[in-house]
């Protein structure tokens, strides 16, 4: 812990704080991506990802890139020009996923909720009944609003009403902090990135793809309109490393995969249920503090609020830059707003990964203290 003493805590919704062992494991000497020392590390990471996503059959794909590349992978491999996609929109990231799908020729229908809310099952059902959708996308946690979607319930609805529709989950801000079960919930693609609740520096795009999604990809009639993102290139690579053989398409980020391996071992060393409970508990703690300060959440209710982050409106009379700077002066970095319509009106706190699972680090306590002290110093006295 001491090696990180002199830095401001990074309590934003990703990148999150990184464990020392994760950081140390990255600083290897130059290592070939087909070296006998690296191949098993990559292979084991692929296996560990199945545990984290609670899947036996799902195919992990790990590629250099950020979470955004996951949208391009979904759109380029699964959508053929002119096909219909249904995007559930609970904020900024729904807008972006829709924009990405359109680039690859999808005809996008959106079910858009008001800021702070999520589409209702009735609205989703109504939309599903209008067309035969190739796929539906769900943003599990929209990081711009802190709104949590009920992926399990939506998946059950889709299975009943439109069983051929592929179920795609943007889990960039949820994998590792929210309950997610790929096989049990019948999900076809869950995409995420390294720097949020998985606790690894930015640079990895990570997906789990169902057998059904792979079949859909294999059955497509039109060529894949991407070179780098094509699963035709990546699936053989993943299969090779998992069977402990090196193979080349594009150089994997060797050091980041060492870091991923370390983090995944840490994550899977305790039951996932415990991890989800810890995130719930810490989220409740932070949200109770926010409430007791008389501040208002961006999510309409606690029921639709994420457990790995909290989005809060500034109180009357407090300027955005003032609060963020004040909190930083107490050595904690929190984030400003992201949703375009309200960007200057709210702030966001991330509470994921080791900040949650290792309370002895006091990240949460320090964040709460920095926030309450800063508000007081700016003259806010609550209600
Ligand atoms: C952060 C985030 C993304 C984008 O991930 P990048 O790694 O920044 O490309 C996509 N969706 C959600 C829900 C996110 O939180």
């Amino acid at each position: 812990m001491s090696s990180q003493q002199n830095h401001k805590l990074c309590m934003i919704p990703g990148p999150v704080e990184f464990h020392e062992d994760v950081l140390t494991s990255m600083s290897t000497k130059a290592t070939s991506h087909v070296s006998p020392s690296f191949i098993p590390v990559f292979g084991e990471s692929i296996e560990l990802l199945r545990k984290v996503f609670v899947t036996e059959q799902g195919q992990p794909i790990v590629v250099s890139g950020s979470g955004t590349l996951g949208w391009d992978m979904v759109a380029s491999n699964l959508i053929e020009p002119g096909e219909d996609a249904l995007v559930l929109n609970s904020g900024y990231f729904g807008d972006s996923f829709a924009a990405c799908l359109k680039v690859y020729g999808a005809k996008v229908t959106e079910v858009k909720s008001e800021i702070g809310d999520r589409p209702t099952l009735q609205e989703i059902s109504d939309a599903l009944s209008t067309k035969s959708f190739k796929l539906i996308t769900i943003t599990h946690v929209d990081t711009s609003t802190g709104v949590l979607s009920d992926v399990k319930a939506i998946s059950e609805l889709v299975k009943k009403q439109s069983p051929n529709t592929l179920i795609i989950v943007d889990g960039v801000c949820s994998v590792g902090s929210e309950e997610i079960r790929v096989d049990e919930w019948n999900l076809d693609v869950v995409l995420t990135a390294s720097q949020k609740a998985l606790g690894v520096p930015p640079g990895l795009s990570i997906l789990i793809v169902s057998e059904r999604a792979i079949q859909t990809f294999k059955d497509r009639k039109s060529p894949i309109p991407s070179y780098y993102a094509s699963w035709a290139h990546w699936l053989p690579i993943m299969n090779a490393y998992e069977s402990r053989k090196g193979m080349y398409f594009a150089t994997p980020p060797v050091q980041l995969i060492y870091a991923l391996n370390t983090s995944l071992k840490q994550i899977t060393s305790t039951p996932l249920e415990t991890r989800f409970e810890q995130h719930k508990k810490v989220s409740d703690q932070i949200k109770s503090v926010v409430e007791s300060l008389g501040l208002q959440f961006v999510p309409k209710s606690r029921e639709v609020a994420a457990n790995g982050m909290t989005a809060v409106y500034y109180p009357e009379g407090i300027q955005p830059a003032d609060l963020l700077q004040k909190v930083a002066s107490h050595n904690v970095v929190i984030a400003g707003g992201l949703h375009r319509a309200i960007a200057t009106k709210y702030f966001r706190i991330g509470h994921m990964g080791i900040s949650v699972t290792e309370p002895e680090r006091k990240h949460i306590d320090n964040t709460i203290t920095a926030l309450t002290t800063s508000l007081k110093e700016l003259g806010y006295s609550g209600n």
Side-chain angles (χ1 to χ4, degrees):
M1 262 179 234
S2 55
S3 62
Q4 298 199 63
Q5 244 161 23
N6 295 318
H7 92 292
K8 293 184 198 299
L9 282 181
C10 188
M11 302 301 285
I12 66 175
V16 302
E17 282 290 312
F18 304 131
H19 195 286
E20 296 71 21
D21 294 349
V22 170
L23 294 175
T24 307
S25 63
M26 292 182 73
S27 63
T28 73
K29 301 212 166 45
T31 305
S32 160
H33 53 284
V34 289
S35 135
S37 58
F38 173 65
I39 290 169
V41 173
F42 201 168
E44 187 187 43
S45 302
I46 292 169
E47 290 161 1
L48 289 170
L49 280 170
R50 286 206 186 85
K51 289 194 179 164
V52 171
F53 285 81
V54 202
T55 179
E56 304 216 327
Q57 304 303 330
Q59 174 61 56
I61 299 177
V62 181
V63 176
S64 262
S66 76
T68 300
L69 177 60
W71 298 335
D72 283 84
M73 282 214 168
V74 166
S76 62
N77 288 286
L78 295 179
I79 284 285
E80 298 194 53
E83 287 181 332
D84 284 296
L86 182 61
V87 172
L88 306 187
N89 187 320
S90 50
Y92 174 92
F93 288 100
D95 294 343
S96 314
F97 206 158
C100 180
L101 287 161
K102 285 179 196 162
V103 167
Y104 294 91
K107 285 195 284 176
V108 173
T109 303
E110 289 191 61
V111 183
K112 214 165 181 153
S113 51
E114 291 192 356
I115 294 170
D117 212 348
R118 60 192 190 190
T120 64
L121 289 176
Q122 187 59 53
E123 287 166 339
I124 300 167
S125 171
D126 291 348
L128 282 172
S129 64
T130 60
K131 281 184 198 126
S132 153
F133 290 100
K134 178 76 171 282
L135 55 83
I136 180 172
T137 75
I138 310 163
T139 312
H140 198 181
V141 169
D142 197 295
T143 321
S144 73
T145 54
V147 167
L148 174 70
S149 290
D150 188 346
V151 172
K152 182 170 180 246
I154 296 168
S155 166
E156 280 166 8
L157 172 69
V158 175
K159 278 281 161 236
K160 214 160 38 182
Q161 203 180 323
S162 182
N164 291 329
T165 301
L166 296 168
I167 302 172
I168 314 296
V169 178
D170 176 345
V172 180
C173 198
S174 68
V175 171
S177 59
E178 305 287 348
E179 181 176 15
I180 187 154
R181 300 176 185 280
V182 168
D183 287 0
E184 214 179 301
W185 296 358
N186 285 302
L187 309 177
D188 289 295
V189 178
V190 179
L191 61 99
T192 191
S194 47
Q195 77 275 18
K196 298 191 188 175
L198 292 180
V200 178
L204 291 176
S205 173
I206 298 168
L207 297 90
I208 296 288
V209 183
S210 73
E211 288 178 303
R212 185 167 80 137
I214 290 176
Q215 197 54 48
T216 304
F217 147 78
K218 284 183 177 160
D219 291 345
R220 64 180 290 138
K221 306 274 182 307
S222 57
I224 295 159
S226 171
Y227 184 69
Y228 183 74
S230 170
W231 290 345
H233 294 130
W234 290 113
L235 290 173
I237 301 293
M238 296 305 132
N239 291 335
Y241 277 95
E242 188 165 5
S243 50
R244 305 303 191 262
K245 289 197 278 285
M247 191 176 171
Y248 174 73
F249 167 55
T251 310
V254 173
Q255 280 68 22
L256 277 175
I257 288 166
Y258 274 105
L260 176 69
N261 184 267
T262 303
S263 188
L264 292 176
K265 277 187 185 146
Q266 290 176 351
I267 290 171
T268 53
S269 69
T270 49
L272 286 173
E273 287 69 24
T274 309
R275 188 177 176 87
F276 301 143
E277 273 314 307
Q278 287 170 321
H279 280 82
K280 269 208 179 84
K281 202 169 134 223
V282 164
S283 177
D284 278 343
Q285 183 192 352
I286 293 201
K287 287 175 175 65
S288 294
V289 169
V290 167
E291 229 163 35
S292 72
L293 286 164
L295 303 179
Q296 231 196 323
F297 299 112
V298 175
K300 289 259 154 71
S301 68
R302 290 250 198 139
E303 199 204 331
V304 304
N307 294 296
M309 65 168 292
T310 300
V312 186
Y313 286 107
Y314 294 110
E316 200 85 32
I318 300 271
Q319 295 306 311
D322 290 347
L323 183 66
L324 299 187
Q325 269 174 30
K326 210 30 126 187
V327 173
S329 77
H330 293 289
N331 288 322
V332 176
V333 176
I334 59 173
L338 181 63
H339 193 293
R340 287 184 189 95
I342 54 167
T344 58
K345 299 195 170 115
Y346 73 108
F347 61 94
R348 298 172 300 147
I349 305 171
H351 31 89
M352 295 175 242
I354 58 167
S355 295
V356 167
T357 58
E358 301 186 4
E360 62 277 14
R361 292 177 184 265
K362 305 232 174 291
H363 291 179
I364 301 301
D365 294 347
N366 291 346
T367 302
I368 290 172
T369 307
L371 178 66
T372 48
T373 312
S374 299
L375 284 166
K376 212 180 284 168
E377 286 170 356
L378 291 169
Y380 175 74
S381 52
N383 335 339

Coordinates of all heavy atoms in Angstrom, one line a residue, residues 66-68 71 93 139 141-143 170 172-173 193 195-196, ligand 1:
S66 N -10.4 0.0 -26.0 CA -11.1 0.3 -24.8 C -12.5 -0.3 -24.9 O -12.8 -1.0 -25.9 CB -11.2 1.8 -24.6 OG -12.1 2.4 -25.6
G67 N -13.4 0.1 -24.0 CA -14.7 -0.5 -24.0 C -15.5 -0.2 -25.3 O -16.2 -1.0 -25.8
T68 N -15.2 0.9 -25.8 CA -15.9 1.4 -27.1 C -15.7 0.4 -28.2 O -16.6 0.2 -29.0 CB -15.3 2.8 -27.5 OG1 -15.6 3.7 -26.4 CG2 -15.9 3.3 -28.7
W71 N -18.5 -2.1 -28.8 CA -19.6 -1.7 -29.6 C -19.3 -2.0 -31.1 O -20.1 -2.6 -31.8 CB -19.9 -0.2 -29.5 CG -20.3 0.3 -28.1 CD1 -20.8 -0.5 -27.1 CD2 -20.1 1.6 -27.7 NE1 -21.0 0.4 -26.0 CE2 -20.6 1.6 -26.3 CE3 -19.7 2.8 -28.2 CZ2 -20.6 2.8 -25.6 CZ3 -19.7 3.9 -27.4 CH2 -20.2 3.9 -26.1
F93 N -24.5 6.6 -22.8 CA -23.9 5.5 -23.5 C -24.8 4.7 -24.4 O -24.4 4.0 -25.3 CB -23.2 4.6 -22.4 CG -22.0 5.2 -21.9 CD1 -22.0 5.8 -20.6 CD2 -20.8 5.2 -22.6 CE1 -20.8 6.5 -20.1 CE2 -19.6 5.8 -22.1 CZ -19.6 6.4 -20.9
T139 N -27.8 -1.1 -21.7 CA -26.6 -0.6 -20.9 C -26.9 -0.9 -19.5 O -27.8 -0.5 -18.8 CB -26.5 1.0 -21.0 OG1 -26.7 1.4 -22.4 CG2 -25.2 1.5 -20.5
V141 N -25.2 -0.5 -16.6 CA -25.1 0.7 -15.8 C -24.8 1.9 -16.7 O -23.7 1.8 -17.4 CB -24.1 0.7 -14.6 CG1 -23.9 2.0 -14.0 CG2 -24.5 -0.3 -13.6
D142 N -25.6 2.8 -16.9 CA -25.2 4.0 -17.7 C -24.4 4.9 -16.8 O -25.0 5.5 -15.9 CB -26.4 4.7 -18.3 CG -25.9 5.6 -19.5 OD1 -25.2 6.5 -19.2 OD2 -26.2 5.3 -20.6
T143 N -23.2 5.0 -17.1 CA -22.2 5.7 -16.3 C -22.5 7.2 -16.3 O -22.0 8.0 -15.4 CB -20.8 5.4 -16.8 OG1 -20.8 4.1 -17.2 CG2 -19.8 5.6 -15.8
D170 N -24.1 -3.9 -22.6 CA -22.9 -3.1 -22.3 C -22.7 -3.1 -20.8 O -23.4 -2.5 -20.0 CB -23.2 -1.6 -22.8 CG -22.0 -0.7 -22.4 OD1 -21.2 -1.0 -21.6 OD2 -22.0 0.4 -23.0
V172 N -19.7 -2.3 -19.4 CA -18.4 -1.6 -19.1 C -18.4 -1.1 -17.7 O -17.4 -1.3 -17.0 CB -18.1 -0.5 -20.1 CG1 -16.8 0.1 -19.8 CG2 -18.1 -1.0 -21.5
C173 N -19.5 -0.6 -17.2 CA -19.5 -0.1 -15.8 C -20.2 -1.0 -14.8 O -20.6 -0.6 -13.8 CB -20.1 1.3 -15.8 SG -19.7 2.3 -14.3
A193 N -14.6 -3.4 -20.2 CA -13.3 -2.9 -20.4 C -12.5 -3.1 -19.1 O -13.1 -3.4 -18.1 CB -13.3 -1.4 -20.7
Q195 N -10.6 -1.1 -17.2 CA -10.3 0.0 -16.2 C -11.4 0.3 -15.2 O -11.3 1.1 -14.3 CB -9.9 1.3 -16.9 CG -11.1 2.1 -17.5 CD -11.5 1.6 -18.9 OE1 -11.2 0.5 -19.3 NE2 -12.2 2.5 -19.7
K196 N -12.6 -0.4 -15.3 CA -13.6 -0.1 -14.4 C -13.6 -1.2 -13.3 O -12.5 -1.4 -12.7 CB -14.9 0.1 -15.1 CG -14.8 1.4 -16.0 CD -16.0 1.9 -16.6 CE -15.6 3.0 -17.7 NZ -16.7 3.5 -18.4
Ligands
LIG1 C1 -16.8 3.7 -19.8 C2 -18.0 3.2 -20.6 C3 -17.9 2.9 -22.0 C4 -16.8 3.3 -22.8 O1 -15.6 2.6 -22.4 P1 -14.2 3.2 -22.9 O2 -13.2 2.2 -22.2 O3 -14.1 4.6 -22.3 O4 -14.1 3.2 -24.3 C5 -19.0 2.3 -22.6 N1 -20.1 2.0 -21.9 C6 -20.2 2.3 -20.6 C7 -21.5 1.9 -19.8 C8 -19.1 2.9 -19.9 O5 -19.2 3.2 -18.6

